[in-house]
Each structure stands twice: as structure tokens, then as C-alpha cells.
Amino acid sequence: MSRWPLWGVLAPGEPARLESRALAIVLPDWDEEDGEELPFEFIPGNGRYHAIVSTDLSYIGVEMRLAEALSLECDEPVYSFERASDIWTVMSWRNGALDIEEVDPEALAKSLGCPLPESTELSDIPKRKPLCKVALVEGVRAEEAHRVLEEEAGEPLAPGCYLIEETPKGLLVRSGTRNIGYADLTLSERFPHASIYGVIASRSLDAFFVHVLRGGECIGQFTVPPDEIPTYSVFDDIKGERTPERILAALGIHAEWFLND
């Protein structure tokens, strides 16, 4: 792997079994004879922990499902990270329950004895498309969303941390200081009746993902370009629209919000 991973999982266990379980969870129908390339790489560590990493943007979100499943099979914590956007998020999982960790993925991986692969050429890093995430939340008031996100943070939110705006189409949630991280998932878990559209996109919208959440679960996704092996059920459109520009308009999300590096 010549480029640094965009997402990954750090898990304890016997290497061969761990790699087999990851494959069964992520790609249960994968057949090596089909010549299909795996979207992740297994990297053995020098102790109990090993890394499962990927540079595939279209599989962002898989790390959470994988870490959750693996955490139900061991007594030690399993860690997942996603750093396709500007802010890296690390989560620890115990028996299927998650906590946010304030730690750098590289530092955590090294402390666990499974350092992440580093780019062999500095020119690789700028090739990473910076992504931004914005969400439309239907059926939730601004003060309710702010209260829940503050409770999740465990402290008063810094000014600009979340920019929450009530619109005729619903509640728009974005950030003035960083990506919204998993705010859309948090709100979906706390407001199971709400329909939430989490939009992740690159500056030029050539990488475009919409995850539709309800009851804390992703019920379907829309991606540009289309996933060859979708992680979730595939939607052919979002609110009747099939292009990134028209989908953003239908959701009341401004395309220029994705221009921030």
C-alpha cells in the first residue's frame, strides 16, 4: 500500500482468524477466483493487535461496522478510525458500544504494536481528495439537536463547532471549525423517528456519498461513482434526483460548503 490509509480497524486476536472474520463481515460473498481486489489490507502487528486498513473512499463507514462486530467477539477494545476528511476520528468499541477517543491514529497504532503504513512518497498525500460532511435532519428542532450534541461532547460546544440552521427542508448541520464527524449518527440514535441525510463530498463533487439514516442505522446509500460492491442498500436517487448538484439542491445544502479544505 503506497498511500496512507483513509480508514482502518485495530483489533486483537489471532492473525489468520482475524483476517478471515474481516473478510466474512465486509465481503461475505467474495471469491478469490473472480479476480476481485479486496478493498482493505491486513497488516499483522508484533503483539496482540493487528491492523485492517484501506485507501478506498467508497468503503468509508465499513470500519464502524467491522469494529462493532469484532468487539462482540473479544474482551479487549477494538478501535476504528476514519481520516478521509480533515478531522480524524478514532473510536473504541467494547461489546458493540462505542466511545470517541482523543488520540492520533498513528500514535495509537504504534502503542498497540501495529504501526500503520506510511506513504513512500510525499507526493502521494496531496492526491487525497479532501472531503467535507454536512447533514440534513428532518423532524428535529435546532435546540434539541444542540442539546444532544452537547451531551455527547460532555462539555459546552465551542463556538462554530456546529452550525445548525432550521430551514423549510429540515435542520442543516455543518461545522465552522471542523467536520461534523458522527453527529448525524448521534442524532439518528437519539431521534429514531428522524430521517437524516449525511452527505460527504469532495470539492468538485466527483466523490459524492449520501447515507440515509433512521433509528441509528444506515438504511441506504447513494454514491458517485457507484460502488461496485455496496456496503448498504443502494438508492437510485435521493428525493427523486440523481446528480450531486440536484441532490444538494433538493436537500437545501449549498455546494460551496464543500469547498473548505
Side-chain angles (χ1 to χ4, degrees):
M1 180 175 292
S2 62
R3 296 178 58 195
W4 60 356
L6 300 181
W7 61 262
V9 171
L10 308 172
E14 193 277 322
R17 180 186 180 280
L18 192 58
E19 184 173 13
S20 175
R21 286 293 297 132
L23 181 59
I25 293 167
V26 177
L27 293 172
D29 298 324
W30 184 77
D31 188 346
E32 185 176 8
E33 295 182 357
D34 291 339
E36 179 185 349
E37 184 177 351
L38 286 174
F40 63 81
E41 179 181 350
F42 182 83
I43 303 176
N46 56 25
R48 281 281 294 161
Y49 277 81
H50 311 283
I52 301 161
V53 300
S54 176
T55 61
D56 195 329
L57 285 171
S58 64
Y59 277 81
I60 290 175
V62 167
E63 77 282 353
M64 294 180 63
R65 180 158 58 89
L66 179 56
E68 180 182 12
L70 292 175
S71 75
L72 296 172
E73 303 174 4
C74 63
D75 296 328
E76 299 160 276
V78 175
Y79 301 92
S80 67
F81 67 87
E82 179 268 303
R83 57 182 185 181
S85 51
D86 293 333
I87 298 299
W88 300 349
T89 302
V90 177
M91 293 183 171
S92 62
W93 300 78
R94 291 178 182 270
N95 297 318
L98 67 88
D99 282 311
I100 304 296
E101 299 287 338
E102 298 294 334
V103 64
D104 179 87
E106 268 93 357
L108 175 63
K110 287 181 180 178
S111 72
L112 295 174
C114 52
L116 301 177
E118 297 179 357
S119 174
T120 56
E121 298 179 9
L122 293 177
S123 60
D124 282 343
I125 296 176
K127 295 177 183 178
R128 182 172 63 95
K129 297 178 181 178
L131 302 180
C132 180
K133 185 176 183 181
V134 178
L136 173 70
V137 182
E138 297 178 336
V140 177
R141 297 195 305 273
E143 57 269 25
E144 294 175 323
H146 186 276
R147 172 178 54 80
V148 164
L149 293 174
E150 194 165 70
E151 290 176 355
E152 182 71 13
E155 60 185 7
L157 297 175
C161 178
Y162 295 109
L163 303 178
I164 302 174
E165 177 186 359
E166 290 186 347
T167 75
K169 296 181 183 295
L171 196 68
L172 292 177
V173 181
R174 59 190 182 102
S175 177
T177 60
R178 59 177 176 82
N179 261 24
I180 67 171
Y182 294 101
D184 53 341
L185 179 60
T186 296
L187 294 173
S188 182
E189 291 173 340
R190 295 290 294 273
F191 300 103
H193 64 279
S195 292
I196 300 179
Y197 300 84
V199 180
I200 303 173
S202 62
R203 291 171 60 95
S204 58
L205 303 183
D206 57 336
F208 187 83
F209 311 86
V210 182
H211 293 107
V212 184
L213 307 176
R214 193 171 297 137
E217 301 287 342
C218 181
I219 63 171
Q221 66 178 21
F222 176 95
T223 65
V224 175
D227 281 355
E228 294 183 3
I229 305 177
T231 306
Y232 304 102
S233 298
V234 174
F235 289 155
D236 294 328
D237 65 83
I238 297 294
K239 293 188 177 294
E241 303 296 347
R242 292 182 169 84
T243 66
E245 293 81 3
R246 294 185 65 86
I247 288 172
L248 291 178
L251 297 176
I253 296 174
H254 300 292
E256 57 264 30
W257 289 349
F258 297 94
L259 297 180
N260 295 323
D261 290 337

PDB file of all heavy atoms in Angstrom, residues 10 45-50 76-77 79 90 101-116:
ATOM      1  N   LEU A  10      -8.187  -1.455  14.324  1.00  0.00           N
ATOM      2  CA  LEU A  10      -7.120  -2.065  15.103  1.00  0.00           C
ATOM      3  C   LEU A  10      -7.780  -3.034  16.071  1.00  0.00           C
ATOM      4  O   LEU A  10      -8.564  -2.634  16.937  1.00  0.00           O
ATOM      5  CB  LEU A  10      -6.341  -0.992  15.872  1.00  0.00           C
ATOM      6  CG  LEU A  10      -5.820   0.186  15.036  1.00  0.00           C
ATOM      7  CD1 LEU A  10      -5.240   1.259  15.934  1.00  0.00           C
ATOM      8  CD2 LEU A  10      -4.794  -0.282  14.016  1.00  0.00           C
ATOM      9  N   GLY A  45       0.507  -7.217  13.369  1.00  0.00           N
ATOM     10  CA  GLY A  45       1.315  -6.469  14.318  1.00  0.00           C
ATOM     11  C   GLY A  45       2.337  -7.365  14.973  1.00  0.00           C
ATOM     12  O   GLY A  45       2.481  -8.540  14.614  1.00  0.00           O
ATOM     13  N   ASN A  46       3.043  -6.831  15.945  1.00  0.00           N
ATOM     14  CA  ASN A  46       4.055  -7.639  16.639  1.00  0.00           C
ATOM     15  C   ASN A  46       3.584  -8.054  18.029  1.00  0.00           C
ATOM     16  O   ASN A  46       4.386  -8.479  18.864  1.00  0.00           O
ATOM     17  CB  ASN A  46       5.385  -6.884  16.723  1.00  0.00           C
ATOM     18  CG  ASN A  46       5.232  -5.518  17.389  1.00  0.00           C
ATOM     19  OD1 ASN A  46       4.316  -5.300  18.179  1.00  0.00           O
ATOM     20  ND2 ASN A  46       6.129  -4.605  17.051  1.00  0.00           N
ATOM     21  N   GLY A  47       2.275  -7.938  18.266  1.00  0.00           N
ATOM     22  CA  GLY A  47       1.718  -8.337  19.552  1.00  0.00           C
ATOM     23  C   GLY A  47       0.299  -8.833  19.365  1.00  0.00           C
ATOM     24  O   GLY A  47      -0.013  -9.531  18.403  1.00  0.00           O
ATOM     25  N   ARG A  48      -0.567  -8.452  20.288  1.00  0.00           N
ATOM     26  CA  ARG A  48      -1.957  -8.900  20.245  1.00  0.00           C
ATOM     27  C   ARG A  48      -2.759  -8.199  19.160  1.00  0.00           C
ATOM     28  O   ARG A  48      -3.699  -8.766  18.609  1.00  0.00           O
ATOM     29  CB  ARG A  48      -2.618  -8.639  21.607  1.00  0.00           C
ATOM     30  CG  ARG A  48      -2.296  -9.654  22.665  1.00  0.00           C
ATOM     31  CD  ARG A  48      -3.130 -10.905  22.486  1.00  0.00           C
ATOM     32  NE  ARG A  48      -4.549 -10.664  22.702  1.00  0.00           N
ATOM     33  CZ  ARG A  48      -5.515 -11.465  22.260  1.00  0.00           C
ATOM     34  NH1 ARG A  48      -5.217 -12.539  21.558  1.00  0.00           N
ATOM     35  NH2 ARG A  48      -6.786 -11.195  22.505  1.00  0.00           N
ATOM     36  N   TYR A  49      -2.405  -6.946  18.843  1.00  0.00           N
ATOM     37  CA  TYR A  49      -3.216  -6.154  17.918  1.00  0.00           C
ATOM     38  C   TYR A  49      -2.681  -6.188  16.488  1.00  0.00           C
ATOM     39  O   TYR A  49      -1.468  -6.252  16.256  1.00  0.00           O
ATOM     40  CB  TYR A  49      -3.303  -4.702  18.392  1.00  0.00           C
ATOM     41  CG  TYR A  49      -4.372  -4.476  19.446  1.00  0.00           C
ATOM     42  CD1 TYR A  49      -4.118  -4.779  20.782  1.00  0.00           C
ATOM     43  CD2 TYR A  49      -5.620  -3.976  19.106  1.00  0.00           C
ATOM     44  CE1 TYR A  49      -5.092  -4.579  21.758  1.00  0.00           C
ATOM     45  CE2 TYR A  49      -6.602  -3.772  20.067  1.00  0.00           C
ATOM     46  CZ  TYR A  49      -6.331  -4.078  21.390  1.00  0.00           C
ATOM     47  OH  TYR A  49      -7.308  -3.882  22.331  1.00  0.00           O
ATOM     48  N   HIS A  50      -3.638  -6.112  15.550  1.00  0.00           N
ATOM     49  CA  HIS A  50      -3.317  -6.103  14.129  1.00  0.00           C
ATOM     50  C   HIS A  50      -4.193  -5.057  13.446  1.00  0.00           C
ATOM     51  O   HIS A  50      -5.226  -4.643  13.984  1.00  0.00           O
ATOM     52  CB  HIS A  50      -3.537  -7.491  13.524  1.00  0.00           C
ATOM     53  CG  HIS A  50      -2.910  -8.585  14.323  1.00  0.00           C
ATOM     54  ND1 HIS A  50      -1.554  -8.850  14.293  1.00  0.00           N
ATOM     55  CD2 HIS A  50      -3.441  -9.449  15.236  1.00  0.00           C
ATOM     56  CE1 HIS A  50      -1.282  -9.843  15.123  1.00  0.00           C
ATOM     57  NE2 HIS A  50      -2.419 -10.217  15.715  1.00  0.00           N
ATOM     58  N   GLU A  76     -11.034  -7.402  24.798  1.00  0.00           N
ATOM     59  CA  GLU A  76     -10.279  -6.164  24.703  1.00  0.00           C
ATOM     60  C   GLU A  76     -10.966  -5.187  23.751  1.00  0.00           C
ATOM     61  O   GLU A  76     -11.756  -5.590  22.895  1.00  0.00           O
ATOM     62  CB  GLU A  76      -8.861  -6.465  24.228  1.00  0.00           C
ATOM     63  CG  GLU A  76      -8.078  -7.376  25.172  1.00  0.00           C
ATOM     64  CD  GLU A  76      -6.906  -8.036  24.487  1.00  0.00           C
ATOM     65  OE1 GLU A  76      -7.098  -9.076  23.839  1.00  0.00           O
ATOM     66  OE2 GLU A  76      -5.790  -7.494  24.609  1.00  0.00           O
ATOM     67  N   PRO A  77     -10.668  -3.902  23.875  1.00  0.00           N
ATOM     68  CA  PRO A  77     -11.304  -2.933  22.971  1.00  0.00           C
ATOM     69  C   PRO A  77     -10.821  -3.076  21.534  1.00  0.00           C
ATOM     70  O   PRO A  77      -9.682  -3.483  21.287  1.00  0.00           O
ATOM     71  CB  PRO A  77     -10.886  -1.578  23.563  1.00  0.00           C
ATOM     72  CG  PRO A  77      -9.634  -1.865  24.328  1.00  0.00           C
ATOM     73  CD  PRO A  77      -9.791  -3.251  24.877  1.00  0.00           C
ATOM     74  N   TYR A  79     -10.532  -0.754  17.982  1.00  0.00           N
ATOM     75  CA  TYR A  79     -10.505   0.658  17.597  1.00  0.00           C
ATOM     76  C   TYR A  79     -10.768   0.809  16.101  1.00  0.00           C
ATOM     77  O   TYR A  79     -10.294   0.013  15.287  1.00  0.00           O
ATOM     78  CB  TYR A  79      -9.149   1.276  17.932  1.00  0.00           C
ATOM     79  CG  TYR A  79      -8.788   1.194  19.393  1.00  0.00           C
ATOM     80  CD1 TYR A  79      -8.043   0.121  19.883  1.00  0.00           C
ATOM     81  CD2 TYR A  79      -9.198   2.173  20.286  1.00  0.00           C
ATOM     82  CE1 TYR A  79      -7.710   0.033  21.229  1.00  0.00           C
ATOM     83  CE2 TYR A  79      -8.880   2.094  21.638  1.00  0.00           C
ATOM     84  CZ  TYR A  79      -8.136   1.017  22.099  1.00  0.00           C
ATOM     85  OH  TYR A  79      -7.825   0.935  23.433  1.00  0.00           O
ATOM     86  N   VAL A  90     -11.249   8.777  15.961  1.00  0.00           N
ATOM     87  CA  VAL A  90     -10.908   7.448  16.455  1.00  0.00           C
ATOM     88  C   VAL A  90     -11.977   7.025  17.444  1.00  0.00           C
ATOM     89  O   VAL A  90     -12.359   7.793  18.329  1.00  0.00           O
ATOM     90  CB  VAL A  90      -9.524   7.432  17.138  1.00  0.00           C
ATOM     91  CG1 VAL A  90      -9.228   6.046  17.709  1.00  0.00           C
ATOM     92  CG2 VAL A  90      -8.440   7.834  16.147  1.00  0.00           C
ATOM     93  N   GLU A 101     -12.361   8.581  21.042  1.00  0.00           N
ATOM     94  CA  GLU A 101     -11.035   8.679  21.645  1.00  0.00           C
ATOM     95  C   GLU A 101     -10.306   9.912  21.109  1.00  0.00           C
ATOM     96  O   GLU A 101     -10.265  10.124  19.901  1.00  0.00           O
ATOM     97  CB  GLU A 101     -10.208   7.423  21.337  1.00  0.00           C
ATOM     98  CG  GLU A 101     -10.809   6.134  21.868  1.00  0.00           C
ATOM     99  CD  GLU A 101     -10.696   6.006  23.374  1.00  0.00           C
ATOM    100  OE1 GLU A 101      -9.816   6.682  23.947  1.00  0.00           O
ATOM    101  OE2 GLU A 101     -11.479   5.245  23.962  1.00  0.00           O
ATOM    102  N   GLU A 102      -9.771  10.714  21.998  1.00  0.00           N
ATOM    103  CA  GLU A 102      -8.983  11.887  21.590  1.00  0.00           C
ATOM    104  C   GLU A 102      -7.528  11.460  21.426  1.00  0.00           C
ATOM    105  O   GLU A 102      -6.682  11.698  22.275  1.00  0.00           O
ATOM    106  CB  GLU A 102      -9.121  12.994  22.639  1.00  0.00           C
ATOM    107  CG  GLU A 102     -10.538  13.498  22.829  1.00  0.00           C
ATOM    108  CD  GLU A 102     -11.071  14.210  21.598  1.00  0.00           C
ATOM    109  OE1 GLU A 102     -10.254  14.737  20.819  1.00  0.00           O
ATOM    110  OE2 GLU A 102     -12.300  14.229  21.411  1.00  0.00           O
ATOM    111  N   VAL A 103      -7.243  10.798  20.309  1.00  0.00           N
ATOM    112  CA  VAL A 103      -5.899  10.275  20.082  1.00  0.00           C
ATOM    113  C   VAL A 103      -5.630  10.233  18.588  1.00  0.00           C
ATOM    114  O   VAL A 103      -6.563  10.135  17.776  1.00  0.00           O
ATOM    115  CB  VAL A 103      -5.765   8.858  20.702  1.00  0.00           C
ATOM    116  CG1 VAL A 103      -6.693   7.885  20.016  1.00  0.00           C
ATOM    117  CG2 VAL A 103      -4.327   8.362  20.658  1.00  0.00           C
ATOM    118  N   ASP A 104      -4.371  10.340  18.218  1.00  0.00           N
ATOM    119  CA  ASP A 104      -3.969  10.261  16.821  1.00  0.00           C
ATOM    120  C   ASP A 104      -3.913   8.796  16.390  1.00  0.00           C
ATOM    121  O   ASP A 104      -3.408   7.949  17.141  1.00  0.00           O
ATOM    122  CB  ASP A 104      -2.586  10.899  16.662  1.00  0.00           C
ATOM    123  CG  ASP A 104      -2.088  10.837  15.242  1.00  0.00           C
ATOM    124  OD1 ASP A 104      -2.404  11.750  14.475  1.00  0.00           O
ATOM    125  OD2 ASP A 104      -1.383   9.857  14.912  1.00  0.00           O
ATOM    126  N   PRO A 105      -4.442   8.448  15.205  1.00  0.00           N
ATOM    127  CA  PRO A 105      -4.439   7.044  14.768  1.00  0.00           C
ATOM    128  C   PRO A 105      -3.045   6.424  14.743  1.00  0.00           C
ATOM    129  O   PRO A 105      -2.868   5.276  15.161  1.00  0.00           O
ATOM    130  CB  PRO A 105      -5.044   7.101  13.360  1.00  0.00           C
ATOM    131  CG  PRO A 105      -5.860   8.344  13.343  1.00  0.00           C
ATOM    132  CD  PRO A 105      -5.125   9.310  14.230  1.00  0.00           C
ATOM    133  N   GLU A 106      -2.046   7.171  14.231  1.00  0.00           N
ATOM    134  CA  GLU A 106      -0.690   6.632  14.170  1.00  0.00           C
ATOM    135  C   GLU A 106      -0.129   6.332  15.564  1.00  0.00           C
ATOM    136  O   GLU A 106       0.472   5.286  15.799  1.00  0.00           O
ATOM    137  CB  GLU A 106       0.244   7.608  13.441  1.00  0.00           C
ATOM    138  CG  GLU A 106       0.361   7.355  11.959  1.00  0.00           C
ATOM    139  CD  GLU A 106      -0.646   8.185  11.202  1.00  0.00           C
ATOM    140  OE1 GLU A 106      -1.437   8.891  11.857  1.00  0.00           O
ATOM    141  OE2 GLU A 106      -0.660   8.112   9.961  1.00  0.00           O
ATOM    142  N   ALA A 107      -0.341   7.289  16.484  1.00  0.00           N
ATOM    143  CA  ALA A 107       0.184   7.098  17.839  1.00  0.00           C
ATOM    144  C   ALA A 107      -0.483   5.901  18.513  1.00  0.00           C
ATOM    145  O   ALA A 107       0.180   5.107  19.180  1.00  0.00           O
ATOM    146  CB  ALA A 107      -0.048   8.368  18.665  1.00  0.00           C
ATOM    147  N   LEU A 108      -1.787   5.767  18.322  1.00  0.00           N
ATOM    148  CA  LEU A 108      -2.496   4.633  18.914  1.00  0.00           C
ATOM    149  C   LEU A 108      -1.990   3.326  18.328  1.00  0.00           C
ATOM    150  O   LEU A 108      -1.715   2.368  19.067  1.00  0.00           O
ATOM    151  CB  LEU A 108      -3.998   4.784  18.671  1.00  0.00           C
ATOM    152  CG  LEU A 108      -4.870   3.608  19.124  1.00  0.00           C
ATOM    153  CD1 LEU A 108      -4.773   3.414  20.636  1.00  0.00           C
ATOM    154  CD2 LEU A 108      -6.320   3.821  18.696  1.00  0.00           C
ATOM    155  N   ALA A 109      -1.871   3.267  16.999  1.00  0.00           N
ATOM    156  CA  ALA A 109      -1.429   2.037  16.352  1.00  0.00           C
ATOM    157  C   ALA A 109      -0.025   1.638  16.814  1.00  0.00           C
ATOM    158  O   ALA A 109       0.240   0.462  17.087  1.00  0.00           O
ATOM    159  CB  ALA A 109      -1.466   2.207  14.831  1.00  0.00           C
ATOM    160  N   LYS A 110       0.873   2.614  16.928  1.00  0.00           N
ATOM    161  CA  LYS A 110       2.233   2.306  17.387  1.00  0.00           C
ATOM    162  C   LYS A 110       2.231   1.791  18.819  1.00  0.00           C
ATOM    163  O   LYS A 110       2.976   0.868  19.161  1.00  0.00           O
ATOM    164  CB  LYS A 110       3.100   3.557  17.268  1.00  0.00           C
ATOM    165  CG  LYS A 110       3.465   3.919  15.835  1.00  0.00           C
ATOM    166  CD  LYS A 110       4.341   5.164  15.788  1.00  0.00           C
ATOM    167  CE  LYS A 110       4.690   5.521  14.344  1.00  0.00           C
ATOM    168  NZ  LYS A 110       5.513   6.765  14.270  1.00  0.00           N
ATOM    169  N   SER A 111       1.369   2.381  19.665  1.00  0.00           N
ATOM    170  CA  SER A 111       1.326   1.945  21.060  1.00  0.00           C
ATOM    171  C   SER A 111       0.794   0.522  21.190  1.00  0.00           C
ATOM    172  O   SER A 111       1.087  -0.172  22.161  1.00  0.00           O
ATOM    173  CB  SER A 111       0.462   2.905  21.875  1.00  0.00           C
ATOM    174  OG  SER A 111      -0.921   2.753  21.563  1.00  0.00           O
ATOM    175  N   LEU A 112       0.014   0.081  20.188  1.00  0.00           N
ATOM    176  CA  LEU A 112      -0.552  -1.267  20.199  1.00  0.00           C
ATOM    177  C   LEU A 112       0.325  -2.269  19.458  1.00  0.00           C
ATOM    178  O   LEU A 112      -0.022  -3.451  19.349  1.00  0.00           O
ATOM    179  CB  LEU A 112      -1.955  -1.255  19.576  1.00  0.00           C
ATOM    180  CG  LEU A 112      -3.014  -0.446  20.341  1.00  0.00           C
ATOM    181  CD1 LEU A 112      -4.317  -0.385  19.534  1.00  0.00           C
ATOM    182  CD2 LEU A 112      -3.272  -1.037  21.716  1.00  0.00           C
ATOM    183  N   GLY A 113       1.447  -1.803  18.925  1.00  0.00           N
ATOM    184  CA  GLY A 113       2.375  -2.705  18.245  1.00  0.00           C
ATOM    185  C   GLY A 113       2.020  -3.026  16.814  1.00  0.00           C
ATOM    186  O   GLY A 113       2.503  -4.019  16.264  1.00  0.00           O
ATOM    187  N   CYS A 114       1.185  -2.184  16.187  1.00  0.00           N
ATOM    188  CA  CYS A 114       0.856  -2.419  14.768  1.00  0.00           C
ATOM    189  C   CYS A 114       0.851  -1.086  14.036  1.00  0.00           C
ATOM    190  O   CYS A 114      -0.212  -0.575  13.662  1.00  0.00           O
ATOM    191  CB  CYS A 114      -0.482  -3.137  14.616  1.00  0.00           C
ATOM    192  SG  CYS A 114      -1.857  -2.377  15.502  1.00  0.00           S
ATOM    193  N   PRO A 115       2.032  -0.487  13.839  1.00  0.00           N
ATOM    194  CA  PRO A 115       2.107   0.818  13.178  1.00  0.00           C
ATOM    195  C   PRO A 115       1.478   0.790  11.796  1.00  0.00           C
ATOM    196  O   PRO A 115       1.561  -0.199  11.065  1.00  0.00           O
ATOM    197  CB  PRO A 115       3.612   1.092  13.110  1.00  0.00           C
ATOM    198  CG  PRO A 115       4.265  -0.236  13.272  1.00  0.00           C
ATOM    199  CD  PRO A 115       3.353  -1.030  14.158  1.00  0.00           C
ATOM    200  N   LEU A 116       0.830   1.901  11.445  1.00  0.00           N
ATOM    201  CA  LEU A 116       0.160   1.994  10.154  1.00  0.00           C
ATOM    202  C   LEU A 116       1.183   2.223   9.052  1.00  0.00           C
ATOM    203  O   LEU A 116       2.256   2.786   9.286  1.00  0.00           O
ATOM    204  CB  LEU A 116      -0.843   3.148  10.174  1.00  0.00           C
ATOM    205  CG  LEU A 116      -1.946   3.062  11.228  1.00  0.00           C
ATOM    206  CD1 LEU A 116      -2.820   4.319  11.165  1.00  0.00           C
ATOM    207  CD2 LEU A 116      -2.797   1.822  11.025  1.00  0.00           C
TER     208      LEU A 116
END
